[in-house]
Amino acid sequence: MRVRGVFATLSDRLRQALSRVGLRAGEYDGDYDRLSRLYRLPDPWRLGRPQEVERYRRTNDIIRLLAPERGALLEIGSGEGHHTQHLMEVASAVVGIEISAEAVRRARDRVPSATFHRGRGEDLELIVGDRRFAVATACEVLCYSPAAHFILEQMARVADRVVVTTYEGQERRVAPLFHDDRWIRLPDIVVGRYRWHCRVWTSDARPSAPECRPS
């Protein structure tokens, strides 16, 4: 029975890996059901790896500079709360939005002091209502939405600053979203052979929400 269980776990992991490859080949298709199914096993994106933890730390450094007052923070694509637990260090409260019910359940276990909602980033204004945030983040998630421009526009309406990070391999798909000169490109986050591109928008320096071009 133990051997059978090991093979079942390996089989699930293989299906996860193949699903990740398929999603990366077809980002922006909006297949949220398929995305949710990846969470049948914990941490399908391997977000507990050292390079990811270092990315969280450096993202926090950016947020500290942008919002030293440690206000409320909105996290789009909060997953199982791996990044959330680090964001709690730079915010008075964190609200996460995630499409997968299983991921939300694990996130609540991992970070009980944060608030998590199951839903789409496209519906964030309906989810948060009239609540305002000091910072809104979208880290490694925009490439999976067919309406990423609409998500960004909503983020800029509910938050004073918006922080977006994108893995280098996805940059070609998301770069057109930031054609507006009201987005500021920051130095890349580089950890070993991994590189993430960083962009921010702030209401202090930009009088209105950025108009983001659909991809």
Side-chain angles (χ1 to χ4, degrees):
M1 292 295 292
R2 181 177 299 177
V3 172
R4 184 181 301 172
V6 170
F7 277 110
T9 300
L10 289 174
S11 177
D12 285 342
R13 288 296 185 189
L14 178 59
R15 283 196 295 269
Q16 274 188 342
L18 292 174
S19 294
R20 288 197 302 267
V21 170
L23 281 169
R24 286 168 181 163
E27 294 107 332
Y28 284 105
D29 63 1
D31 190 349
Y32 289 136
D33 288 338
R34 184 179 179 188
L35 193 63
S36 294
R37 287 195 297 272
L38 288 174
Y39 287 98
R40 285 180 296 192
L41 289 178
D43 196 12
W45 301 106
R46 298 181 293 167
L47 294 179
R49 293 177 295 172
Q51 62 265 32
E52 300 291 352
V53 173
E54 179 63 15
R55 172 171 66 86
Y56 306 151
R57 188 186 69 78
R58 297 195 192 181
T59 303
N60 275 7
D61 289 343
I62 293 169
I63 294 171
R64 286 189 183 95
L65 289 173
L66 286 175
E69 73 275 15
R70 295 185 77 252
L73 184 147
L74 174 65
E75 181 187 11
I76 304 301
S78 47
E80 297 171 315
H82 288 89
H83 198 169
T84 315
Q85 61 187 353
H86 293 270
L87 293 173
M88 292 294 296
E89 300 172 6
V90 292
S92 60
V94 176
V95 174
I97 297 176
E98 168 58 45
I99 195 68
S100 165
E102 185 60 33
V104 167
R105 183 188 67 78
R106 292 178 188 143
R108 288 170 177 162
D109 289 341
R110 176 172 278 111
V111 195
S113 55
T115 301
F116 297 96
H117 299 283
R118 184 190 179 193
R120 306 184 313 157
E122 292 89 338
D123 300 323
L124 75 89
E125 285 184 299
L126 293 174
I127 294 170
V128 304
D130 58 1
R131 184 166 183 179
R132 291 287 306 174
F133 298 88
V135 179
T137 67
C139 299
E140 326 314 312
V141 298
L142 292 180
C143 59
Y144 299 108
S145 169
H149 63 290
F150 185 51
I151 294 175
L152 286 173
E153 288 167 0
Q154 290 186 82
M155 292 172 72
R157 286 196 290 267
V158 304
D160 296 325
R161 299 97 165 171
V162 176
V163 177
V164 177
T165 64
T166 306
Y167 183 62
E168 184 177 38
Q170 300 165 342
E171 174 66 14
R172 179 179 60 84
R173 294 179 178 273
V174 302
L177 296 167
F178 307 102
H179 73 286
D180 194 298
D181 61 7
R182 288 172 291 183
W183 284 95
I184 301 170
R185 174 78 181 269
L186 299 182
D188 294 346
I189 295 174
V190 181
V191 183
R193 62 187 179 89
Y194 299 95
R195 180 182 297 269
W196 293 268
H197 296 198
C198 256
R199 293 178 175 86
V200 301
W201 172 89
T202 68
S203 60
D204 295 338
R206 310 292 187 258
S208 60
E211 297 177 359
C212 304
R213 180 185 303 165
S215 60

